Amino acid sequence: MICLRMMRGLITCALIIFTASTFAGGPLVVCYQLPAKYPGVGSVSLNYDQGVLGSRTKAQADALVTEAVSLWTNVATSTVALSRGPDLPVDVTSSNYSTYLYNFSDGLNPVIYDTNGSIIDSMFGVGAKNSVLGFAGSAWNNNGSQCAYTEGRAVINGSISVSDTTMKVVLAHETGHLIGLDHTQLDNSQGLVNSNYPLMYPIAYRGSSSLHEDDTAAVSALYPTATVTSAYGQLTGTFIQADGTPIRGANIWVKEVDTNKVFSFVSDYLSQNTGYFKFLLPPGSYTLHAEVIHTAFTSGSSVGPYADTSSGLSFQPPLYNSGVAIAPIVFGGDAPTQLVIAAGCAASAIFKMNGTGSVGGNCGVDNLSPTLPTGLTATPVSSTQINLSWTASTDNVGVASYKVYRGGSLVGNPTTTSYNDTGLTASTSYSYTVAACDAANNCSAQSTPVSAATMPIITNSNIALASVGAVASASSTYSSAYPVGAINNNQRTGVTWGNGGGWNDATANTQPDWVQINFNGTKTIDRVVVYTIQDNYNNPIEPTDTLTFNTYGITGFTVQGWNGSTWTTLATVNGNNLVKRTVNFPAFTTDQIRINVTSALAGYSRITEIEAWGH
């Protein structure tokens, strides 16, 4: 007996929607509780139309079909083999499409170019060509114990203008239906961005002509290679209510905790009335989730076997109550259970609607160590610190942390691929190795050692002092009672102000004023300390970092360094009220600095001392 599932299409309004009737990331048709597929390894020979596809020539359309088909045939863990056979003998149009679309014994698998949308209008009603981008499906033979596809067909609308990338997504999506794949519901609910929705999502958001990991796992599950277990482990289970009643038609999905890769199936997709689900998963640690199917995904856009109509089980209690969807469910609740999957293993889970359940199978034991860390480098950054970095290791489940050894002794256990080793001795060489460990405490051997030496200690000093040869000058000086030489005589309090205790400019209420210190040669500095007059200048104290003024001090200034041809601003201070103002800046090499006073209280610029720290 030859049967034909309602073919799904691709619809666009504000969005582009695929329609065809299949199971979420799984098989399109299930009979006798087995997925239908093409016999053997899944060989299908496609027959391209003779016509054009809208504005695209036949050659351009043929090339897009071939590129789209290759996405499925290039999956290393799937045997499906799609090839190009002889082209159809005619240009298929609205006047002759039934000859090719409804004949399932002619040995053809037509890919029809509906260049002006007239075929789609004829099938779905006038105006459908403005929203349907394509549809596809396959007929199958039911021999009483199993079902196998015999011939497939796809119709692609050329009257809607889309990019080549979108057209390849459309063609690959419809080819997915033709070989027996259903829609999947993985979207922003799982944290995906629109452009990375699976190719088999009902709406054509995918931004690249490539397969999502869910698409790859789906075709590998339907047409597995003999070596599929070297790349995937298996997770099977049932989704049930707390009393054990199976829940049919829920979207079950998993997320890998390190990579955020996601995969999905619909509960009870084999129509066993058990709430059954099954995943092929790359090695990793996964959290398990359940949610409802979107109510918009019905009929040709349905997801799973229970969403064909709005009255389907996917939209009934316990998943929807009076039209209101249940909240998403996480296995393990607020502390999600992590399911470890290794290549070739088989895990199982009983997943209850209240978030509880149990885990079984042989995936819980991880005896494999991560790969050896490579590319270890050691970079000294100071006299007491060496920074390490290396290339990430890989693991069948996931690398959890690294062990850093200095001279054979464990000194750190970072979770990233870098480590800063501190508290070291200056001018000393150290040897380092790194090992990678997983969550089961399987650790790799230690990496090839590398060595590095800390920098020597560099002692900074105040190089602005007259006693070490520095010379001070100023833009103006009030009188000999306020000499500029007072600013670098190592006397910070301003004692004997008005009698050589500090510098006072000669231009009342006029700024900027500057004082300059020429060093005894070229120096590298990174800190300047500027001391201004204290309010109680008759009885001053040694300035602290918190001593403030209200009456006479300088409130704004810049620190400048001479670069050989011009003054470079190293730092700017505004709103100052500290008698002792410390200014830090990136190290700068120069032979002179200038403090440019831009604002001050009580009319004059007044400074008691300037320190410049460097070497």
Side-chain angles (χ1 to χ4, degrees):
M1 177 175 67
I2 295 291
C3 306
L4 176 65
R5 182 83 168 188
M6 179 188 69
M7 290 188 284
R8 296 199 171 188
L10 185 116
I11 299 175
T12 179
C13 17
L15 302 174
I16 300 172
I17 300 178
F18 298 106
T19 60
S21 194
T22 49
F23 297 129
L28 173 69
V29 171
V30 171
C31 61
Y32 305 107
Q33 298 181 351
L34 293 171
K37 61 180 184 177
Y38 280 91
V41 298
S43 298
V44 183
S45 177
L46 301 176
N47 307 103
Y48 297 5
D49 198 350
Q50 286 284 0
V52 299
L53 184 59
S55 62
R56 294 178 174 88
T57 65
K58 171 175 168 53
Q60 291 171 330
D62 290 351
L64 288 176
V65 175
T66 300
E67 291 174 23
V69 165
S70 70
L71 297 181
W72 300 110
T73 58
N74 289 341
V75 175
T77 48
S78 169
T79 62
V80 71
L82 299 165
S83 60
R84 181 175 180 177
D87 286 354
L88 297 175
V90 298
D91 175 8
V92 180
T93 66
S94 57
S95 64
N96 63 359
Y97 73 87
S98 60
T99 300
Y100 299 95
L101 198 59
Y102 300 131
N103 188 336
F104 298 98
S105 59
D106 57 4
L108 298 175
N109 299 285
V111 179
I112 296 171
Y113 305 153
D114 187 8
T115 189
N116 59 7
S118 59
I119 297 174
I120 289 172
D121 267 4
S122 176
M123 294 182 65
F124 301 114
V126 175
K129 68 180 180 182
N130 298 319
S131 59
V132 178
L133 279 174
F135 58 90
S138 289
W140 72 90
N141 179 281
N142 182 348
N143 66 9
S145 61
Q146 64 183 52
C147 297
Y149 291 125
T150 56
E151 292 182 5
R153 52 266 300 109
V155 175
I156 308 300
N157 185 3
S159 68
I160 299 176
S161 178
V162 296
S163 68
D164 281 356
T165 296
T166 299
M167 183 57 77
K168 278 189 275 189
V169 168
V170 172
L171 288 162
H173 179 105
E174 301 306 341
T175 305
H177 288 323
L178 188 147
I179 60 177
L181 293 178
D182 189 14
H183 289 145
T184 181
Q185 182 177 290
L186 288 173
D187 48 31
N188 58 8
S189 296
Q190 291 79 36
L192 297 179
V193 296
N194 290 7
S195 60
N196 194 37
Y197 285 10
L199 188 145
M200 295 308 295
Y201 190 71
I203 302 173
Y205 282 114
R206 188 154 187 81
S208 63
S209 51
S210 62
L211 299 186
H212 183 272
E213 60 262 17
D214 188 59
D215 303 314
T216 302
V219 73
S220 299
L222 192 59
Y223 297 97
T225 63
T227 59
V228 70
T229 55
S230 65
Y232 289 100
Q234 179 177 290
L235 171 62
T236 60
T238 54
F239 185 48
I240 59 176
Q241 298 186 55
D243 63 3
T245 303
I247 302 173
R248 295 178 284 174
N251 190 47
I252 310 296
W253 60 278
V254 296
K255 175 181 281 191
E256 208 285 312
V257 297
D258 290 326
T259 64
N260 291 325
K261 289 183 177 181
V262 286
F263 304 83
S264 76
F265 262 99
V266 169
S267 63
D268 207 56
Y269 81 100
L270 289 180
S271 303
Q272 298 170 315
N273 194 26
T274 61
Y276 179 75
F277 58 84
K278 178 181 179 181
F279 294 92
L280 278 188
L281 299 174
S285 294
Y286 293 83
T287 53
L288 179 62
H289 308 254
E291 65 180 11
V292 299
I293 301 297
H294 303 325
T295 54
F297 293 157
T298 61
S299 187
S301 298
S302 65
V303 177
Y306 302 111
D308 281 342
T309 68
S310 59
S311 61
L313 289 176
S314 285
F315 310 112
Q316 302 303 313
L319 297 171
Y320 281 85
N321 295 293
S322 300
V324 178
I326 63 169
I329 303 164
V330 182
F331 186 53
D334 293 336
T337 301
Q338 290 193 15
L339 304 171
V340 177
I341 300 296
C345 80
S348 62
I350 297 175
F351 185 11
K352 295 184 179 181
M353 195 170 179
N354 60 10
T356 65
S358 60
V359 179
N362 65 353
C363 289
V365 178
D366 178 12
N367 295 317
L368 297 179
S369 298
T371 58
L372 188 73
T374 59
L376 177 61
T377 62
T379 304
V381 295
S382 74
S383 60
T384 60
Q385 180 173 327
I386 295 176
N387 291 351
L388 308 175
S389 65
W390 55 91
T391 301
S393 297
T394 59
D395 184 65
N396 64 312
V397 175
V399 175
S401 64
Y402 294 88
K403 292 183 177 181
V404 177
Y405 297 88
R406 183 205 311 137
S409 298
L410 180 66
V411 293
N413 195 215
T415 58
T416 62
T417 56
S418 63
Y419 179 75
N420 297 337
D421 193 21
T422 59
L424 306 177
T425 302
S427 302
T428 303
S429 180
Y430 295 93
S431 177
Y432 295 93
T433 56
V434 178
C437 302
D438 60 21
N441 205 31
N442 300 306
C443 296
S444 71
Q446 294 180 36
S447 67
T448 301
V450 299
S451 296
T454 49
M455 296 177 177
I457 293 176
I458 299 175
T459 303
N460 281 358
S461 61
N462 179 12
I463 59 176
L465 289 170
S467 61
V468 297
V471 178
S473 59
S475 57
S476 66
T477 300
Y478 186 82
S479 73
S480 60
Y482 304 94
V484 70
I487 70 170
N488 66 335
N489 65 357
N490 204 31
Q491 212 295 319
R492 294 165 291 280
T493 64
V495 68
T496 69
W497 182 260
N499 189 25
W503 169 77
N504 196 117
D505 82 282
T507 57
N509 298 309
T510 302
Q511 274 88 28
D513 305 304
W514 56 261
V515 287
Q516 181 176 317
I517 297 179
N518 286 51
F519 304 139
N520 183 16
T522 300
K523 308 293 181 180
T524 298
I525 60 172
D526 59 10
R527 176 166 53 104
V528 164
V529 186
V530 179
Y531 297 84
T532 192
I533 189 172
Q534 301 176 31
D535 288 346
N536 186 12
Y537 61 86
N538 286 322
N539 295 290
I541 63 174
E542 185 67 25
T544 66
D545 290 331
T546 58
L547 181 64
T548 61
F549 63 81
N550 295 298
T551 307
Y552 299 112
I554 62 172
T555 56
F557 60 90
T558 61
V559 179
Q560 297 177 322
W562 184 253
N563 68 7
S565 60
T566 188
W567 290 104
T568 298
T569 298
L570 305 179
T572 301
V573 175
N574 293 304
N576 178 58
N577 69 342
L578 293 175
V579 171
K580 174 187 177 182
R581 184 60 183 253
T582 300
V583 183
N584 296 288
F585 44 82
F588 185 79
T589 301
T590 183
D591 63 354
Q592 53 190 305
I593 61 166
R594 176 177 285 186
I595 306 302
N596 205 40
V597 180
T598 54
S599 59
L601 300 181
Y604 289 97
S605 301
R606 300 175 175 91
I607 295 176
T608 62
E609 187 78 8
I610 294 174
E611 299 172 349
W613 291 86
H615 57 274

